[in-house]
Amino acid sequence: MSQKYANRSVDRALDILEYLDVHRQPMRITDIARGVGLSVGTTYRLLEVLVGRRFVFKNSSTRRYTLGFEVFRIGATGPAMQITSARAKPLLARLAADLEADVFIGARDGIRVQILDRLDGAKVGNRTLNAVDSYVDAHACAIGKVLLAYQVAGNLDAQYVHQTLPRHTANTVTSITRLAEDLAEVLATGHAVENEELVSGMSGIAVPIINIAGDAYLAVWVVCPTGTFTSNWRKRALARTKVVARMIAEYRASEA
């Protein structure tokens, strides 16, 4: 790099991102500062900027830092996200209408999932997801389990070091051992199922969107009231959702 255009703040911020990328686990600010050779004060100021721009995620309870969503959006998931925003919506809208269920698409952001889009298909009286925010805990929903399984199943302990698995309902998985078992099942079956684990009265399925390289940075999540979540409905929904996920990955909108 030409020293003429060197910028110490940019260099230091990139050093922090590279350090978090190498370690890929929640890090204390003191460890980050030591790792990149900066004072804690300077590291804190740079981290605050990176957190504000979502290149770094700060857990408010543990005060530890991991890479944030923007890193993956611009990097590995950038092309997939562009396809999603430009092409996937009609496919997802048709899926929502066909199944009379709410359909979401999302990407993993550390131990959470960022919901990128939502298509409402459930009848207004049956809608159970009004409480779902832009982010959901990955361990408590089908879409999160799919993304964890395909991205970090072999390194799950590192993702949740010094973290707890918050309980949302009586069915929420709250142990790493049980979560690891669920992720193994996801990899064996190619999909995830949830039964009132995030919101009482809400059940759903999720499938990965697997790109040409075999990576799954995005997933489709179909949610309905538990009363609708019968074996027959689930079988139909799973088959239809897998077709849509494959079409999003390959972009065959005319075949939807």
Side-chain angles (χ1 to χ4, degrees):
M1 179 184 69
S2 171
Q3 293 302 309
K4 178 180 178 181
Y5 299 107
N7 184 294
R8 294 183 65 192
S9 294
V10 173
D11 281 343
R12 289 169 171 177
L14 292 173
D15 286 342
I16 290 173
L17 293 177
E18 289 178 349
Y19 183 81
L20 291 173
D21 180 56
V22 168
H23 290 273
R24 288 297 178 106
Q25 66 182 31
M27 304 293 295
R28 298 179 302 178
I29 190 171
T30 51
D31 294 330
I32 298 171
R34 187 182 306 113
V36 298
L38 297 174
S39 69
V40 171
T42 298
T43 304
Y44 174 78
R45 289 191 293 273
L46 292 170
L47 281 169
E48 285 299 293
V49 174
L50 292 170
V51 169
R53 295 293 298 271
R54 297 197 303 168
F55 285 94
V56 171
F57 169 68
K58 179 182 180 181
N59 187 299
S60 58
S61 59
T62 66
R63 305 185 71 79
R64 291 174 184 260
Y65 298 85
T66 55
L67 287 178
F69 177 73
E70 287 297 309
V71 170
F72 301 105
R73 184 188 70 80
I74 290 175
T77 66
M81 302 279 268
Q82 292 172 12
I83 290 172
T84 297
S85 61
R87 302 172 175 172
K89 194 157 191 158
L91 296 171
L92 299 176
R94 273 179 272 178
L95 180 65
D98 181 33
L99 298 176
E100 294 188 344
D102 294 336
V103 175
F104 301 78
I105 189 167
R108 187 175 71 91
D109 183 358
I111 58 174
R112 306 178 302 166
V113 174
Q114 184 185 24
I115 301 302
L116 305 175
D117 205 353
R118 165 184 178 160
L119 289 303
D120 294 333
K123 295 178 181 178
V124 175
N126 290 334
R127 200 156 289 151
T128 58
L129 290 183
N130 293 332
V132 171
D133 203 349
S134 297
Y135 288 89
V136 291
D137 286 334
H139 72 281
C141 57
I143 189 172
K145 291 181 183 181
V146 162
L147 293 169
L148 287 172
Y150 279 84
Q151 294 179 27
V152 296
N155 195 31
L156 194 59
D157 287 337
Q159 300 299 312
Y160 285 92
V161 64
H162 306 298
Q163 306 278 0
T164 60
L165 278 63
R167 181 180 294 280
H168 295 272
T169 72
N171 292 345
T172 304
V173 173
T174 56
S175 78
I176 294 295
T177 300
R178 171 61 189 283
L179 181 58
E181 292 173 353
D182 286 357
L183 301 191
E185 185 174 355
V186 170
L187 292 176
T189 63
H191 70 276
V193 176
E194 73 184 83
N195 290 288
E196 300 191 0
E197 296 173 44
L198 181 66
V199 177
S200 295
M202 177 191 87
S203 297
I205 61 168
V207 302
I209 298 173
I210 301 175
N211 64 22
I212 193 170
D215 299 317
Y217 295 110
L218 302 168
V220 179
W221 184 27
V222 181
V223 179
C224 69
T226 299
T228 304
F229 200 64
T230 63
S231 177
N232 287 338
W233 184 92
R234 188 161 61 245
K235 182 178 180 180
R236 175 170 168 264
L238 180 59
R240 184 73 177 115
T241 305
K242 284 185 174 180
V243 169
V244 169
R246 186 167 62 250
M247 291 165 63
I248 291 172
E250 300 174 0
Y251 187 41
R252 298 200 307 269
S254 62
E255 301 177 21

